[in-house]
Amino acid sequence: MIGAWFATDYDEPQHVIEGLPIEVTSGRDPGLGIVDQVVRGQGIVGRVTGDHGAVGLKVSSPGAGTRVAVQIHLDEVGTRWWSDRVRPSRLAPELPRVVLLRAQGRLRGAAVLARRQGLRRAGGAKLTLEFDLTAAELDGDGLLMVELAEPPRPGWAEGRYSARSALGVRIDKISVRAQPPTTAAPAAHPDTGCDLAVLPPGSPERFRLELSPVTPAPPLPRSPSNRWTRRKPARAGFKVLRAARRAGTRVVAEVHKSRPHAGVGVQAIDLLTGVPVGLEVVGRGAGGLDVRRTGAAEGPVLIGLDPGDRGLSCRVLVPGR
């Protein structure tokens, strides 16, 4: 066999993670065999460095169905990366992220991430997505591939979530356990911190969209940009605080203009096919909208308020969840 005899002094034996459950929380884990546009972390699996990022775990095939959970996180470091590489102007607003989660080449879920104040995760956005894999999907080489990728961009969402949404997003943890008797249920996602939300695949036609006022997260401090400010930390700090006060005043004024329920509608798109999904508002009440899906959807559905309102946060509530 060609190459069967070839080796170098730097070769390392392939590490396979044996048994269930599996929990990988560091990019230094020997079972993490492949990274593509992901920089490994010490206390996290890694951080996406491009338009998409993928990691591969070499696991021993359990011969049965498994449930996989992937925890992703948008923090201040990820926002700085996006700001330095994408934001056209320092005065441009920080936009939410919409990312797709793929595994074994198939779309498994999607997430909306936005740094906002007034939420339990103030200053950042953290979410865990779960999905099931059949025994056949981990048979053979036992390679579990997890990818964060860019979503489609419908016309109505232009300028409402950031370009290169996956850039800088962390993969904090990947866990694999034996599949319970029931299939993975669509999770009741927390407040998104923005006027967008995701309806998980397999959700019923009727659901509730809760709306609540939210204040944007404070602007990130700017790093000293020249030799003088680097040598004068007190002066640099003063400039940061002054910029933050100005930005904070501008944001609060925008939020106070919000009208949470007056004439608000909804729009949606299937994130798997990119096809618009029909939604109908069937009830309005204190705190949200009762919505019925009138069109079919094959994957997760991205929902946006119509018109958009940066002062509102959305939360999808599925009956029975």
Side-chain angles (χ1 to χ4, degrees):
M1 180 183 297
I2 297 176
W5 49 269
F6 183 80
T8 74
D9 291 338
Y10 300 99
D11 287 351
E12 295 182 359
Q14 188 179 64
H15 183 84
V16 178
I17 306 176
E18 300 283 351
L20 294 178
I22 295 168
E23 189 169 282
V24 177
T25 59
S26 173
R28 307 301 180 186
D29 192 300
L32 187 64
I34 298 175
V35 292
D36 179 18
Q37 294 197 109
V38 171
V39 58
R40 297 172 186 254
Q42 181 68 40
I44 63 173
V45 175
R47 192 182 296 275
V48 179
T49 62
D51 292 334
H52 67 89
V55 297
L57 305 177
K58 188 73 172 179
V59 301
S60 177
S61 177
T66 54
R67 180 160 296 175
V68 182
V70 181
Q71 185 180 87
I72 59 177
H73 187 183
L74 172 64
D75 60 359
E76 291 189 358
V77 175
T79 305
R80 279 196 182 95
W81 281 23
W82 176 84
S83 177
D84 292 341
R85 303 184 191 190
V86 178
R87 184 185 296 190
S89 167
R90 290 289 181 180
L91 297 179
E94 180 184 335
L95 298 176
R97 312 288 191 93
V98 179
V99 293
L100 305 182
L101 175 67
R102 295 194 181 102
Q104 311 304 77
R106 291 179 52 196
L107 181 62
R108 308 290 178 168
V112 175
L113 303 171
R115 293 190 322 118
R116 289 294 185 268
Q117 287 181 322
L119 304 178
R120 287 178 296 177
R121 59 179 190 284
K126 184 182 296 185
L127 196 64
T128 299
L129 298 175
E130 292 191 346
F131 56 89
D132 289 339
L133 294 178
T134 64
E137 288 177 303
L138 274 181
D139 276 347
D141 57 9
L143 185 63
L144 171 61
M145 290 297 301
V146 175
E147 178 188 11
L148 295 184
E150 292 287 302
R153 300 183 182 277
W156 58 263
E158 186 68 30
R160 292 179 60 176
Y161 56 88
S162 70
R164 305 184 69 183
S165 284
L167 178 64
V169 175
R170 293 168 35 167
I171 302 176
D172 283 358
K173 179 172 63 175
I174 300 174
S175 61
V176 185
R177 64 185 189 274
Q179 188 179 118
T182 58
T183 58
H189 288 186
D191 294 285
T192 61
C194 65
D195 57 356
L196 302 168
V198 171
L199 182 67
S203 297
E205 290 186 355
R206 295 182 70 108
F207 60 93
R208 182 169 176 80
L209 190 65
E210 285 196 341
L211 307 178
S212 57
V214 65
T215 55
L220 296 172
R222 293 181 60 180
S223 301
S225 56
N226 56 55
R227 185 175 58 184
W228 188 85
T229 53
R230 284 196 296 270
R231 290 182 177 179
K232 302 287 186 180
R235 175 65 177 171
F238 171 75
K239 291 171 69 176
V240 166
L241 292 175
R242 183 176 60 186
R245 284 197 302 269
R246 290 176 177 174
T249 301
R250 194 164 52 243
V251 167
V252 170
E254 181 182 356
V255 170
H256 284 325
K257 296 178 181 178
S258 297
R259 297 291 184 269
H261 317 299
V264 175
V266 286
Q267 301 179 85
I269 183 176
D270 187 337
L271 290 173
L272 176 61
T273 63
V275 175
V277 176
L279 296 179
E280 178 186 4
V281 177
V282 295
R284 300 175 186 270
L289 308 172
D290 295 318
V291 183
R292 182 171 66 91
R293 178 166 50 84
T294 59
E298 299 181 28
V301 176
L302 176 65
I303 301 170
L305 296 184
D306 181 23
D309 190 331
R310 287 178 56 81
L312 292 179
S313 173
C314 295
R315 182 187 181 195
V316 172
L317 292 181
V318 177
R321 307 295 177 202

